[in-house]
Structures are given as C-alpha cells and as structure tokens.
Amino acid sequence: MTTLHTINKSPFERSAMASCLNHALDGDSVLMIEDAVVGARKGTAIANDLREHQRTCAIYVLGPDLAARGLKPEDLIEGITVVDYAGFVDLAARNRRVCAWL
C-alpha cells in the first residue's frame, strides 16, 4: 500500500520533512508544497538526505509553489520532479492513501 506524503513547512523551520522521510516506505511518493519546496534546492543541509531517499521514494515539488517563491526547476536537486495541480491530483489518485505532514 503506497502513500503520498505531502509536506508544507520549510525543513529549515520545522521537523516535518525529517519525520516524513523517516516514515516513508519503499515505493511511497513525497510531494513538497507551499514553503516545503525550498527544501528541494541543491546544496542545502538536507540535500544529501533527500538524495538518499530518492533511491526508494519518488520526490516531487509543486511547480506553482516553486514559482511563487522565485525558484526555478534548475535550482532543484537532480531527480526531483516538478508537478502542476493536475499532477498533484494524479499522485493522490495513484497512491492508496495521503498523509499530510504539518
């Protein structure tokens, strides 16, 4: 049973990202939305942890939230996929459940 994990808080202010990654299982998907998208940037303190989890989980960011924070897809860790709102819905439909990390 796969899970879509959504995170909306910056990993530099809250521990939701770390908690999420510690609970994500093989085959799960992680979607960063709102302020969490800043965690997907290259060269940050959590970049290595995210790259490590990319081996077992698919990691996504919500494109409109990325743009709203002045970030571009080329600013992201390689392998992180940018999705739009339709992609968010597709992820929710593809996974058996959704877990929101606040």
Side-chain angles (χ1 to χ4, degrees), residues 8 11 14 30 39 47 54 59 64-65 72 81 100-101:
N8 72 339
R14 305 272 177 106
V30 175
Q54 284 178 305
I59 300 181
D65 290 345
K72 300 174 184 161
T81 304
W101 295 86

Side-chain angles (χ1 to χ4, degrees), residues 2 19-20 34 41 48 50-51 57 60 69 81 85 100:
T2 59
S19 295
C20 168
E34 301 172 5
R41 292 177 34 223
N48 286 338
L50 282 173
R51 279 196 293 272
C57 299
Y60 302 88
R69 284 147 184 87
T81 304
Y85 289 112

Side-chain angles (χ1 to χ4, degrees), residues 4 10 15 17 22-23 25-26 38 44 49 54 60 67 82 86 89 101-102:
L4 170 62
S10 168
S15 61
M17 177 83 72
N22 286 334
H23 286 84
L25 301 175
D26 290 1
V38 299
T44 67
D49 198 26
Q54 284 178 305
Y60 302 88
V82 178
V89 172
W101 295 86
L102 307 173

Side-chain angles (χ1 to χ4, degrees), residues 1 6 11-14 23 28 36 40-43 54-55 86:
M1 174 168 46
T6 63
F12 309 112
E13 296 177 1
R14 305 272 177 106
H23 286 84
D28 284 354
R41 292 177 34 223
K42 297 175 188 170
Q54 284 178 305
R55 295 178 187 191

